[in-house]
Amino acid sequence: MSQQGYVATPPYSQAQPGMGGYQGGFGPGPAQPLYGHYGGPPQTFNAPPTGMMKPPISSAAGMPPPPVSSHYNPNAQQNGAHPQRYPAPPAASAAYGQPPQSAYNSMASPAPPPGQQLTNQMSAMNLGNYAPGPMQSPPPAPSSVAQQPFQMAPPPAMGQPQTPPGPQSPHMPPQMTPPQSPPASMPMAGPQMGGPPMAGPQMGGPPMAGPQMGGPPMAGSQMGGPPMAGMGRPFPGPPPPGAGGFQQPGPGPAGPLGYPQQGGQFGGHMAGPQPGMPGGFPGAPASMAGPPQKKLDPDSIPSTTQVIEDDQAKQGGQIFNTNVRGQVPPLVTTDFAVQDQGNASPRFMRCTTYSLPCTIDLAKQCQVPLASIIKPFASLPKNETPLYVVNHGETGPIRCNRCKAYMCPYMQFIDGGRRYQCAFCNCVNEVPVFYFQHLDHMGRRVDFYERPELSLGSYEFAATLDYCKNNKPANPPAYIFMIDVSYNNIKSGLVKLICDELKTLLDKLPREDGVESSAIKVGFVTYNKVLHFYNVKSALAQPQMMVVSDTAEMFVPLLDGFLVNYQDSKAVIYNLLDQIPDMFADTNESETVFVPVIQAGVEAFKAAECSGKLFIFHSSMPTAEAPGKLKNRDDKKLVSTDKEKTLFQPQKGVYEQLSKDCVAQGCCVDLFLFPSQYVDLTTMGDVPSHTGGSVYKYNNFQVETDGEHFLRDLRKDVQKSIGFDAIMRVRTSTGFRATDFFGAIHMNNTTDIEMAAVDCDKAVTVEFKHDDALNEETGAFIQCALLYTTINGQRRLRIHNLSLNCTSQLSELYKSCETDSLMNFFAKSAYRAILNQPLKNVKEVLVNQTAHVLACYRKNCASASAASQLILPDVMKVFPVYMNSLMKTAPLVGSTELSTDDRAHQRLSVMAMGVEDTQLLLYPRLIPLHNIDVQSEALPAPVRCSEERLADSGMFLLENGHSMFLWLGQASSPDLIQSIFNMPSLAHLQGHMCALPELDNPLSSKVRSIISDLLEKRPNSMKLQIVRQKDKPEMLFRQFLVEDKSLHGGASYMDFLCYVHREIRQLLT
C-alpha cells in the first residue's frame, strides 16, 4: 500500500473537536516559544525511497556511461531553500526568536495537490514498513501509551469546547514535557476521535483503506489516529478521566456522549484483524493487545537503529553506480561500494537534498537548507579505484574561458567536436587542437571512455607552473615536532613517551604509492619560556641545540640541518630523542609561550620555501611574557546569559594575524593539549581551526591510563593522507551559487576556501542560495576544484563533479533529502551562530526550523488526515531524534557543570567533520555484547540509545567517535566477568581500567577484536571507560543515551517529538 509519509500518530495529538481538522495546538502557543531546553540533533537517515525517480530525462551533456538516456535523473530535487538559518524564520523579520506563526505565512497559500496526484506521489514513496495493507479493524491497543502526563478530562459533550482543567500555561514547563495540564492541548483519544474532526471525512477518502492509508500514516499507524504509531486505534471511547497518558480506550464502546459510534479507526470501515501491522514503526512489537496502558510505547516512534538497519539490508554490500543525476546514495552507515560513472562518489560529496527547488519561493517555503558536504581527500576502501591523474603537459588543464570551470563530463561538445559548451556558464569554447576528437552518432567524443575527465565524476590534473607560488615548482612538505618541556610534561612522563614513540613513528611518514621512503622532511623544537632548535644534519655525530630567548621577534637560528630527511639523519635523530627527556629532567620551569612556537614554524617553512605541519604538544595556558600571552577569562557567571557567547570567541589580535600568516605559508597546526585546568582552548584552538588542523585534548593526562589513547591519535595523525597549501573553489551552474562555507578553513574573500592542509577526515560544508530560477530539464551542476601540493611536492588539481535534479514539486524535494547531511549542516550553522547569538535564540531557531520543514511537508505533500497525526517524510522520520540530540550537545547546553574548554573543543571539532562523524556523534552506537555469537563475523545489531534498552544482566559497548564506554549491569553473570576481566565478580573490578586484559577465551578475543576494529575505523582514538551500573561514573555514560532526558535539562526524544508536533499544528492553523 503505498503510503506517503510517515505517520506517527502520537499520543500527542488529535484534533480538537469542532476545529475541523487542524487544531491550534495545545492551547495558545506561546508567542516566544520557549524551546530552549530542547536539545539535540536528530540525524535522519534517509534511505532513498523506492520508486522515487521519474523516468530520467535524456541524458545530460554527454553524461557517461550508458548511452541510454537514463543519465541523470532529472528529478531528484535538491534541497530547497535556504533555511532560515540563524536569521529569523521566514516570513518573519529577521529577529531571532519570532513566533513561529509568522514563519508560516509563506506556506499558507498553496493548496495541497489534488487527490489523484497525491495518490501517485504516495505510491511512489512506498514506505516499506510503514503501511501494511489496508487496514481492517482496529489494531489492538498498543502495549503502552505514553508516559507523558497529559491528563485528559472526560470529553465534554459534543459541541462543547474542551477546557483545560488547570491553568494553561503558555510556556511549556522547563522539562518540556508537554503540558501537564491542558487536555485540550493534546486531546487524545476520546472526544477527539470522535466526531467530526477525526472521523471519516477528516481522514480523507475512504477512511483507511488504500491510498488513504497511504498517506501519511506512519506506519500502519495512520491507522491509529492519535496514537503514535502502532499505537493503534484511536478508540472512540472517552478516556478514563484523569488517566495520565494517552489513553486508548477499548475497542468499541459507544463513543462519547454525543458522538456517533465509530466502527474502527476513523469511521467504520475496518473489520477483521489487522494483518501485518506490527507496531507501527518498524521496531514495534507485533501484537499490541491488551488493556490500555499508561505509557506511550517507545517502540512506536521512529527508530534510528531501525532506519540504519533497513538501509543496510536494502543496499549493503551493493555497488552504487554514479551515472544517474540526482540519485540519493545509501546512508553513511551503510557498507557499499561505489563505481564512479560521471558523478563524484558520496564519500567525497553528499548533499542535504539531491533535488534542488526550481525557484527561490519554493526554497523559502520549505526551508530545507541547500548544502553540500565536501570531503575532498576522503579515503577510499581498497576495492575502489584511486583517482586518475590527467596530464595535459605544458598547456595544463582545459578550462572554460569565461567561468574557468575545468573540463568535466557535463561539457557538451558541438560543431563536430571543434567546440564545447560549458555546463556551468553556457559559454561556447574552442577545443584546443591537441584535444580535438570526433563525435560518435550520439554526439559523444570517440575517446569518451579513455579520458577520466569526460567519463568520471572525480579525477586529478597535474598542475603547471602557473598554479605554483611565484611560478616555481613546489618543494615537498615538512613536519616539525614541537614539544613543551615545562615541569608538568616532564614530570608526567609525557616528554619521554613522545620521544620514544617518534623513533618508530617517523619510519611511517606518509609517502606516495610505489615510493620507498617519504619525501617529507622533519625538524624538532623543544620549548618552555624560550625555544630550543636542534641541528640534526646527517654529518653530525651529536645533535646541536640553539636557544632563542627573544620570543618577541621570532627567528629560526639555523637553516641548514634543521629540516632533514629522516632516513638520512636517523642516527642523529635517535640520539636527540634519547637525550631530550634527560636534558630537561631537572627543570623547574612551569611557564610556557605559545604564539612564538607557531611563528618559529612559519619562519622555518618560509626559509625552506615549503609548506608543512606543526605537531605541538602543550600542557598549560601560555602565561609567560611573550606575544599571545593569555589570562584566565573563564567565567561561569556568563553561562545562560547573553554574554555567554564571549566564552566561544577567541582573543583577537596576534592570534588572528597568526592564522593568516600560517595559511599564506601553507603551515598547518595540530595541537595536542594536556591540560589540568582551564587553558582558553577557544583561543589556543583558533589557529588549528583555520589552518586545516585538529585539536586533541587529554584532561589530567596520566601515562598509565591515557598514554595509549594519545599515541593512537598521534599515529593516525602523522600517517593520514593529506594535501598541503590548498585552495578550493566551488563552482555551480547558473541559477544558484555557493554563499557560505563551514570548516577548518580560512576565507580571504567570498569564493576561495584556503586550507594550509587538508586531510582525509576534514570536510567543508558549503551552503547554496538561488540567484535565479533553475531548469528541471537541465538540472544543476556543482564542481569542486582543489589545488594542492602532494606529499611529494607536486602541484595537483583534484576535481569532484556532482549533478543534481531540479524540481518544482515539494514532494520530490522531500524524497531526495538526506537527514544525515541536513544534520551536519544544522550542527555547523548552530555552532557558528553561538559566536554571536545567545544560546536560547539559536535553539529556538533550530526548533522553529524543524517544525517549519515538517509542517511544510505535512501541508503540501501529505494526504489529508487528522491534525492530530504527526506525519513525517519517510526519509526524515528520524530527523527529530537527531535535532533533539544536537540541542543536548555540550556547546548548546547552558550548564555551569560543563567545562568551557570541553564545550569549545567539541564546537571546533564538529566544524571540520564530515557526515559520518556528525551522524555518529549525534546518535552513538550502543552494542549489546552479553549474548554475542563468538563464531559470527558480524557485529551484534546496535540498540536504541535509551536506558530502557539496557539490561541489568547485560554488557553494552557505547561509542560515538570520541568516547567509548563498556557498561556492565549489576546482575552481570560471574562467568561473563571472569571471561572478560579474569575476576570472580563485578565487585572486584578496579575503577580505572582502560583496556581489557588479553585472556585466552573466545568471548574475550571477540570483544577485544570488536573494540580494536572500532578504534581502527574512527578518525579519532577513543579511551575505553568501564562503568558499572549505579556507580558514580555511570552519570557520564548516561549523557550519551540521547533518547532520554539529559542531566543538563535537555528533553527526551518522546517529549521533543510531542513538542515539535505541537509547533507544527500551530503553524498549520
Side-chain angles (χ1 to χ4, degrees):
M1 171 121 275
S2 74
Q3 173 173 254
Q4 150 160 321
Y6 188 49
V7 174
T9 356
Y12 8 132
S13 71
Q14 242 91 7
Q16 296 242 119
M19 290 285 291
Y22 287 122
Q23 177 322 82
F26 317 174
Q32 271 307 70
L34 231 108
Y35 333 87
H37 347 277
Y38 262 89
Q43 219 146 318
T44 334
F45 296 83
N46 3 323
T50 47
M52 243 173 194
M53 316 282 278
K54 292 192 240 166
I57 299 187
S58 62
S59 109
M63 252 330 263
V68 283
S69 64
S70 75
H71 272 90
Y72 287 119
N73 196 21
N75 37 8
Q77 233 175 231
Q78 208 202 262
N79 237 359
H82 312 302
Q84 239 354 78
R85 220 127 75 239
Y86 287 81
S93 62
Y96 223 75
Q98 272 320 134
Q101 290 85 300
S102 48
Y104 237 71
N105 312 345
S106 48
M107 320 217 35
S109 32
Q116 174 49 48
Q117 194 178 337
L118 261 173
T119 317
N120 310 341
Q121 290 168 342
M122 289 180 197
S123 0
M125 279 193 88
N126 219 326
L127 268 157
N129 3 4
Y130 290 178
M135 299 327 267
Q136 297 103 355
S137 119
S143 50
S144 51
V145 206
Q147 69 257 25
Q148 276 54 326
F150 294 103
Q151 276 103 341
M152 310 285 328
M158 177 109 176
Q160 200 184 317
Q162 298 195 217
T163 33
Q168 173 149 352
S169 83
H171 292 311
M172 305 214 47
Q175 273 326 49
M176 303 258 21
T177 33
Q180 289 1 30
S181 29
S185 61
M186 318 211 76
M188 300 306 309
Q192 268 305 113
M193 299 306 320
M198 291 308 277
Q202 223 289 170
M203 279 305 309
M208 285 318 271
Q212 214 308 163
M213 225 340 256
M218 208 126 177
S221 91
Q222 206 227 194
M223 328 253 326
M228 192 96 170
M231 297 262 0
R233 349 155 357 235
F235 326 94
F246 303 84
Q247 303 285 153
Q248 324 252 109
L257 328 160
Y259 287 55
Q261 164 131 9
Q262 287 196 222
Q265 206 72 11
F266 298 94
H269 334 43
M270 302 197 125
Q274 217 216 217
M277 167 144 185
F281 289 78
S287 62
M288 309 187 101
Q293 309 267 319
K294 295 279 188 287
K295 199 164 133 208
L296 175 65
D297 177 14
D299 280 331
S300 62
I301 52 179
S303 155
T304 302
T305 48
Q306 187 66 47
V307 168
I308 292 174
E309 223 170 282
D310 293 347
D311 195 68
Q312 176 65 37
K314 188 168 143 201
Q315 314 195 67
Q318 301 189 4
I319 293 182
F320 176 73
N321 286 312
T322 70
N323 58 345
V324 179
R325 179 173 87 195
Q327 169 176 225
V328 182
L331 299 183
V332 282
T333 44
T334 298
D335 193 10
F336 61 100
V338 180
Q339 175 83 51
D340 184 343
Q341 298 188 341
N343 280 297
S345 157
R347 301 189 205 290
F348 295 122
M349 293 177 83
R350 280 185 175 264
C351 295
T352 51
T353 173
Y354 292 83
S355 290
L356 299 179
C358 282
T359 63
I360 300 183
D361 294 342
L362 203 60
K364 281 193 182 136
Q365 187 181 341
C366 69
Q367 285 206 16
V368 172
L370 308 184
S372 178
I373 295 91
I374 304 172
K375 208 187 217 187
F377 261 79
S379 1
L380 297 177
K382 296 196 171 48
N383 59 353
E384 291 179 22
T385 326
L387 302 193
Y388 288 100
V389 180
V390 178
N391 192 340
H392 289 322
E394 311 240 319
T395 52
I398 294 177
R399 306 175 68 175
C400 168
N401 292 328
R402 183 196 289 161
C403 70
K404 301 292 183 231
Y406 293 85
M407 180 52 70
C408 71
Y410 318 136
M411 303 294 193
Q412 187 72 55
F413 287 87
I414 51 178
D415 200 7
R418 285 185 287 280
R419 299 192 297 160
Y420 67 93
Q421 182 170 15
C422 174
F424 298 90
C425 69
N426 301 323
C427 171
V428 174
N429 297 272
E430 295 292 323
V431 171
V433 180
F434 83 92
Y435 200 67
F436 173 77
Q437 185 54 270
H438 294 286
L439 308 184
D440 63 13
H441 63 290
M442 302 198 40
R444 260 193 338 199
R445 286 174 51 124
V446 184
D447 61 355
F448 176 82
Y449 288 110
E450 288 138 50
R451 290 198 176 271
E453 74 274 22
L454 299 180
S455 55
L456 299 178
S458 299
Y459 42 86
E460 295 200 311
F461 285 117
T464 55
L465 288 179
D466 304 342
Y467 294 88
C468 301
K469 269 196 185 142
N470 311 326
N471 292 354
K472 293 203 317 216
N475 288 315
Y479 283 0
I480 304 179
F481 296 88
M482 311 181 110
I483 306 170
D484 160 3
V485 289
S486 60
Y487 178 77
N488 284 346
N489 285 357
I490 293 291
K491 188 156 172 286
S492 69
L494 176 66
V495 174
K496 182 163 173 31
L497 186 73
I498 294 168
C499 292
D500 290 347
E501 178 63 27
L502 288 178
K503 291 178 195 170
T504 50
L505 189 52
L506 294 175
D507 273 321
K508 301 179 190 150
L509 291 171
R511 53 173 198 251
E512 293 278 309
D513 293 338
V515 183
E516 241 175 74
S517 66
S518 174
I520 296 174
K521 291 193 152 61
V522 295
F524 303 87
V525 172
T526 55
Y527 66 94
N528 38 44
K529 275 205 306 204
V530 299
L531 277 74
H532 321 108
F533 294 81
Y534 297 92
N535 183 344
V536 284
K537 201 158 67 176
S538 54
L540 298 172
Q542 284 286 332
Q544 296 171 343
M545 174 163 99
M546 297 179 150
V547 180
V548 176
S549 51
D550 178 7
T551 51
E553 292 294 320
M554 205 56 228
F555 68 99
V556 176
L558 73 163
L559 293 178
D560 188 30
F562 177 58
L563 295 178
V564 298
N565 178 301
Y566 173 67
Q567 297 301 338
D568 298 348
S569 299
K570 203 166 180 173
V572 195
I573 291 173
Y574 255 60
N575 209 323
L576 171 68
L577 295 171
D578 280 334
Q579 291 176 29
I580 289 175
D582 301 336
M583 266 193 289
F584 299 99
D586 305 325
T587 185
N588 291 318
E589 186 53 76
S590 57
E591 284 197 312
T592 55
V593 295
F594 181 64
V595 165
V597 180
I598 299 177
Q599 285 170 336
V602 174
E603 291 301 322
F605 292 151
K606 255 189 204 148
E609 296 185 347
C610 70
S611 50
K613 186 188 262 200
L614 308 181
F615 294 82
I616 301 181
F617 304 93
H618 191 91
S619 64
S620 57
M621 193 189 288
T623 51
E625 279 309 324
K629 172 183 176 179
L630 295 176
K631 55 181 189 299
N632 189 338
R633 59 189 187 112
D634 185 20
D635 184 357
K636 293 281 193 241
K637 291 200 284 296
L638 300 179
V639 174
S640 300
T641 68
D642 287 354
K643 293 214 174 107
E644 184 169 2
K645 59 191 179 202
T646 58
L647 297 175
F648 296 113
Q649 296 166 352
Q651 303 284 17
K652 291 271 188 270
V654 60
Y655 284 91
E656 205 170 15
Q657 186 53 46
L658 188 56
S659 293
K660 291 179 184 162
D661 297 345
C662 286
V663 172
Q665 189 51 49
C667 168
C668 168
V669 177
D670 274 351
L671 178 58
F672 291 81
L673 275 175
F674 304 86
S676 50
Q677 56 199 37
Y678 173 79
V679 291
D680 195 355
L681 189 141
T682 297
T683 303
M684 294 188 72
D686 192 48
V687 176
S689 67
H690 282 95
T691 57
S694 309
V695 178
Y696 299 90
K697 178 161 177 278
Y698 310 90
N699 295 341
N700 302 313
F701 179 84
Q702 292 181 318
V703 171
E704 307 71 57
T705 53
D706 306 282
E708 212 30 60
H709 166 45
F710 153 63
L711 293 179
R712 277 193 301 260
D713 272 332
L714 178 60
R715 288 169 199 144
K716 281 183 192 232
D717 197 38
V718 169
Q719 297 174 54
K720 58 172 81 159
S721 59
I722 185 167
F724 289 91
D725 202 7
I727 183 161
M728 182 166 101
R729 192 172 267 196
V730 179
R731 294 183 172 84
T732 54
S733 50
T734 53
F736 74 117
R737 64 196 162 87
T739 55
D740 218 342
F741 305 89
F742 303 88
I745 56 175
H746 175 72
M747 302 285 298
N748 241 343
N749 53 35
T750 54
T751 53
D752 297 337
I753 304 157
E754 297 185 59
M755 295 172 279
V758 54
D759 64 49
C760 55
D761 300 319
K762 299 284 184 295
V764 178
T765 299
V766 182
E767 187 182 11
F768 301 105
K769 294 231 160 84
H770 284 73
D771 291 324
D772 203 349
L774 299 173
N775 180 325
E776 290 196 52
E777 286 193 22
T778 49
F781 303 110
I782 301 173
Q783 181 178 82
C784 157
L786 176 83
L787 173 65
Y788 72 99
T789 302
T790 66
I791 45 185
N792 267 7
Q794 294 164 329
R795 281 304 260 177
R796 289 228 187 117
L797 284 149
R798 178 169 285 217
I799 314 292
H800 296 300
N801 303 288
L802 190 60
S803 61
L804 303 172
N805 287 326
C806 297
T807 183
S808 50
Q809 300 291 322
L810 283 172
S811 56
E812 271 310 313
L813 184 147
Y814 279 104
K815 272 192 275 192
S816 307
C817 284
E818 182 173 85
T819 301
D820 300 328
S821 298
L822 280 167
M823 287 314 309
N824 177 281
F825 174 82
F826 280 122
K828 291 185 180 186
S829 53
Y831 282 6
R832 175 180 294 173
I834 61 178
L835 292 176
N836 22 36
Q837 305 261 358
L839 287 185
K840 187 165 119 270
N841 298 14
V842 175
K843 290 198 279 200
E844 217 156 89
V845 170
L846 288 174
V847 180
N848 274 335
Q849 199 160 353
T850 304
H852 196 111
V853 168
L854 299 176
C856 175
Y857 173 80
R858 169 68 189 255
K859 180 164 191 249
N860 301 288
C861 311
S863 54
S865 64
S868 57
Q869 287 178 324
L870 171 62
I871 300 181
L872 305 169
D874 187 44
V875 294
M876 296 173 81
K877 55 184 177 249
V878 287
F879 183 57
V881 73
Y882 282 108
M883 190 55 93
N884 186 41
S885 174
L886 173 61
M887 292 197 283
K888 291 191 280 193
T889 54
L892 296 179
V893 171
S895 164
T896 50
E897 292 166 40
L898 297 172
S899 98
T900 305
D901 279 343
D902 287 347
R903 297 173 71 195
H905 184 227
Q906 185 172 342
R907 195 190 81 79
L908 293 178
S909 311
V910 168
M911 292 309 279
M913 281 184 186
V915 181
E916 315 66 332
D917 307 332
T918 49
Q919 185 277 324
L920 187 62
L921 183 73
L922 297 177
Y923 200 92
R925 293 175 63 178
L926 182 59
I927 307 167
L929 298 179
H930 43 282
N931 43 14
I932 186 173
D933 174 1
V934 289
Q935 308 316 209
S936 158
E937 285 298 296
L939 203 60
V943 296
R944 297 176 70 156
C945 279
S946 165
E947 189 181 345
E948 299 190 344
R949 308 290 156 169
L950 303 173
D952 285 359
S953 58
M955 172 167 75
F956 291 82
L957 183 70
L958 181 141
E959 58 108 11
N960 70 349
H962 291 261
S963 305
M964 179 184 271
F965 293 90
L966 184 63
W967 182 92
L968 302 161
Q970 53 191 9
S972 305
S973 76
D975 299 350
L976 181 72
I977 303 299
Q978 185 67 51
S979 47
I980 297 288
F981 300 101
N982 197 19
M983 289 181 184
S985 76
L986 208 52
H988 293 75
L989 206 58
Q990 296 305 312
H992 53 261
M993 250 174 124
C994 53
L996 298 181
E998 297 193 20
L999 305 177
D1000 188 16
N1001 67 65
L1003 183 62
S1004 173
S1005 321
K1006 180 72 183 168
V1007 170
R1008 281 182 290 110
S1009 89
I1010 287 175
I1011 292 174
S1012 66
D1013 289 352
L1014 287 173
L1015 289 173
E1016 190 49 45
K1017 206 158 123 193
R1018 306 293 177 227
N1020 288 23
S1021 159
M1022 296 175 276
K1023 177 182 171 184
L1024 178 66
Q1025 300 175 65
I1026 295 167
V1027 297
R1028 286 180 291 203
Q1029 187 177 4
K1030 307 262 195 290
D1031 268 11
K1032 206 171 171 195
E1034 196 198 16
M1035 297 300 278
L1036 247 179
F1037 163 81
R1038 285 179 186 271
Q1039 296 177 21
F1040 297 95
L1041 299 177
V1042 298
E1043 291 196 15
D1044 299 341
K1045 276 201 172 80
S1046 94
L1047 304 175
H1048 307 294
S1052 69
Y1053 172 27
M1054 185 80 78
D1055 291 353
F1056 182 66
L1057 208 50
C1058 295
Y1059 187 70
V1060 166
H1061 185 207
R1062 175 181 164 208
E1063 290 300 308
I1064 292 171
R1065 290 175 62 184
Q1066 281 194 323
L1067 289 174
L1068 294 173
T1069 42

